[in-house]
Amino acid sequence: MVAAEAELVCQQSSIISVQYLCVPNTIDNHFLDVSSPTSTPPKASPIASESVSFDISLSESVVSCKTSFQTTIMESSSSNFVPSIRSGSHTDQGSRESNEDEHICIDDLSAHLGYLFGCPLRSAFYAVFDGHGGSNAAAAFLKENAMRLFFEDANLPQTSDIDDLFLEKLEGSHRKAFLLADQALAREQNVPIYCGTTALTALLLGRHLMVANAGDCRAVLCRKGVPIQISQDHRSSYSPERRRVEELGGYFEDGYLNGDLAVTRALGDWFMKRPFGSASPLTAEPDVEQISLTEDDEFLIVACDGIWDVMPNEEAVSLVRRELRRHDDPNQCAITLVNEALRLNASDNLTAIVVCFTSPVCRESATQRNRLRCCSLSEEARNMLRSLLEGK
């Protein structure tokens, strides 16, 4: 583990507060509208048969890959750290004709939905949905209905304390939420069967971080200056995924699943999935990682593959860390990250979220840091210095 440089920073401005916009019946490009979702159920689509059931058992093989993918709980030393959460985000269509990405930034989830888990710990939620199939219909649907799909319908566990049993139940409910969202896309008439989206969510509850991923968006944590990749890219290059796909009868052609899709996990894309009740090479089940944050954890980057296709984890973390030292503004960091990807000739849509876990620190100016103490010289010392300079 590389130790981060110690740097005293001084800043007069107040703490940046990223406000969450609440505009009824409107989807903003940067923030999710958390106004109450419509109670009207989605109309049935021809693709959804009468056998569709929303009572999914996580033990069924069709919706569970737990034999291959296990949750990892990453612990470090401190148990008293409470993150001070603030975030910023930015998106750009890049060289594409349109932007099929959608994202969510909620720094205070409890302020909008109350104490979801029955405990007063502060909660936050972030997500990136990278749509494909020539439309952002699937990504936009998930963004618009995220509160219902991931929280209200997810049968969240209740607790007064964060323990192992609660975390196990929390993971189970989030896995189920991904699968229910996938089924909801099948029923939604406004989402064509050839459209889909990858999805990566990051849920913060106190100092506990849970990241769920289906696709090739990526979450990277900065711990004392060192990048830690939390999620795995679900592509043919990831050997466990290649093995899972091939065991279910799928194949890869030039890196594309069945010659059609660059990822092996996604929500939607029902033209590639088998009927409900059958295991499919393309699945919506996420991999889930859980981490207990400590004071060593500085920030989290959540971004679509457009960023990571042109920028290694180390470069992205170094860039954000450097920018935070300059202005301590996570929103500006996200903009800089996207602009750097554009400079590197990224060919995809670009979306980045930067979540900071520490309060803005006092930043000392460079002139103050490098100030030299002036002192007077005696006449004898001045003469000696003059002789040395003149070479006498």
Side-chain angles (χ1 to χ4, degrees):
M1 195 67 70
V2 179
E5 295 180 6
E7 179 173 346
L8 180 64
V9 217
C10 180
Q11 181 174 326
Q12 299 301 324
S13 62
S14 60
I15 296 176
I16 299 164
S17 176
V18 181
Q19 296 297 321
Y20 186 67
L21 302 183
C22 223
V23 185
N25 302 320
T26 301
I27 302 177
D28 185 82
N29 285 334
H30 298 284
F31 299 91
L32 172 71
D33 173 15
V34 293
S35 55
S36 299
T38 176
S39 59
T40 305
K43 297 180 180 179
S45 169
I47 189 172
S49 66
E50 295 181 357
S51 62
V52 175
S53 172
F54 282 79
D55 183 17
I56 302 177
S57 170
L58 291 177
S59 63
E60 296 176 5
S61 60
V62 62
V63 298
S64 180
C65 303
K66 285 189 176 180
T67 53
S68 301
F69 302 98
Q70 295 292 333
T71 295
T72 301
I73 300 180
M74 301 169 62
E75 295 282 356
S76 39
S77 56
S78 173
S79 61
N80 298 318
F81 174 68
V82 178
S84 177
I85 303 166
R86 54 202 175 92
S87 69
S89 64
H90 188 61
T91 186
D92 193 289
Q93 70 183 54
S95 60
R96 299 290 181 90
E97 293 183 359
S98 62
N99 194 344
E100 298 178 6
D101 289 354
E102 298 286 354
H103 67 283
I104 297 170
C105 286
I106 306 177
D107 288 345
D108 191 351
L109 190 59
S110 297
H112 301 284
L113 298 178
Y115 295 132
L116 295 172
F117 309 97
C119 63
L121 291 176
R122 182 172 177 178
S123 56
F125 182 69
Y126 308 93
V128 173
F129 307 114
D130 186 350
H132 51 255
S135 168
N136 78 330
F141 175 84
L142 290 185
K143 177 177 180 176
E144 185 176 8
N145 295 279
M147 295 300 99
R148 174 176 62 85
L149 294 169
F150 291 102
F151 298 105
E152 294 174 13
D153 295 345
N155 192 24
L156 295 171
Q158 301 296 300
T159 186
S160 57
D161 190 24
I162 307 298
D163 56 16
D164 291 342
L165 179 60
F166 169 79
L167 294 178
E168 182 180 351
K169 290 181 178 179
L170 180 62
E171 177 188 334
S173 68
H174 213 61
R175 286 180 183 273
K176 186 174 181 178
F178 267 66
L179 298 167
L180 291 174
D182 190 35
Q183 290 191 12
L185 283 171
R187 296 172 48 182
E188 177 57 39
Q189 288 186 336
N190 294 326
V191 180
I193 62 172
Y194 53 81
C195 289
T197 181
T198 64
L200 188 146
T201 63
L203 176 63
L204 275 159
L205 182 59
R207 70 185 188 96
H208 184 76
L209 170 64
M210 185 177 73
V211 172
N213 179 51
D216 57 0
C217 293
R218 188 184 302 173
V220 176
L221 178 70
C222 174
R223 176 172 290 171
K224 297 181 76 172
V226 177
I228 299 176
Q229 183 172 326
I230 301 177
S231 61
Q232 289 290 345
D233 301 342
H234 295 135
R235 292 182 172 182
S236 61
S237 56
Y238 183 40
S239 56
E241 273 299 276
R242 174 179 283 274
R243 199 159 47 243
R244 181 188 67 82
V245 166
E246 291 174 345
E247 287 175 354
L248 291 172
Y251 66 93
F252 293 97
E253 183 177 312
D254 296 328
Y256 285 77
L257 175 60
N258 293 353
D260 287 310
L261 202 59
V263 292
T264 58
R265 301 196 186 197
L267 286 75
D269 297 301
W270 277 100
F271 77 104
M272 292 186 65
K273 291 176 178 173
R274 295 170 182 170
F276 296 122
S278 302
S280 176
L282 179 65
T283 179
E285 180 170 7
D287 278 341
V288 181
E289 299 291 343
Q290 303 194 50
I291 299 174
S292 293
L293 299 173
T294 73
E295 61 272 8
D296 292 338
D297 298 312
E298 302 172 28
F299 58 85
L300 177 73
I301 301 173
V302 176
C304 67
D305 64 314
I307 298 289
W308 308 114
D309 285 345
V310 296
M311 201 177 302
N313 297 345
E314 294 79 8
E315 185 177 336
V317 164
S318 294
L319 177 62
V320 170
R321 202 161 187 254
R322 185 168 61 248
E323 289 295 302
L324 284 173
R325 288 178 173 181
R326 287 183 54 219
H327 47 64
D328 214 9
D329 182 348
N331 195 69
Q332 185 58 47
C333 289
I335 294 172
T336 302
L337 200 56
V338 168
N339 288 341
E340 177 64 11
L342 288 170
R343 189 188 69 81
L344 295 171
N345 299 317
S347 60
D348 202 350
N349 298 147
L350 301 162
T351 299
I353 301 172
V354 175
V355 185
C356 295
F357 301 131
T358 56
S359 299
V361 289
C362 190
R363 185 165 35 243
E364 186 182 25
S365 68
T367 54
Q368 288 175 317
R369 276 201 311 268
N370 298 325
R371 182 183 298 164
L372 297 176
R373 177 179 293 177
C374 297
C375 58
S376 57
L377 297 176
S378 65
E379 183 67 26
E380 180 181 1
R382 284 198 297 272
N383 291 335
M384 182 178 297
L385 179 59
R386 187 180 299 108
S387 298
L388 289 172
L389 294 174
E390 294 174 354
K392 295 180 181 180

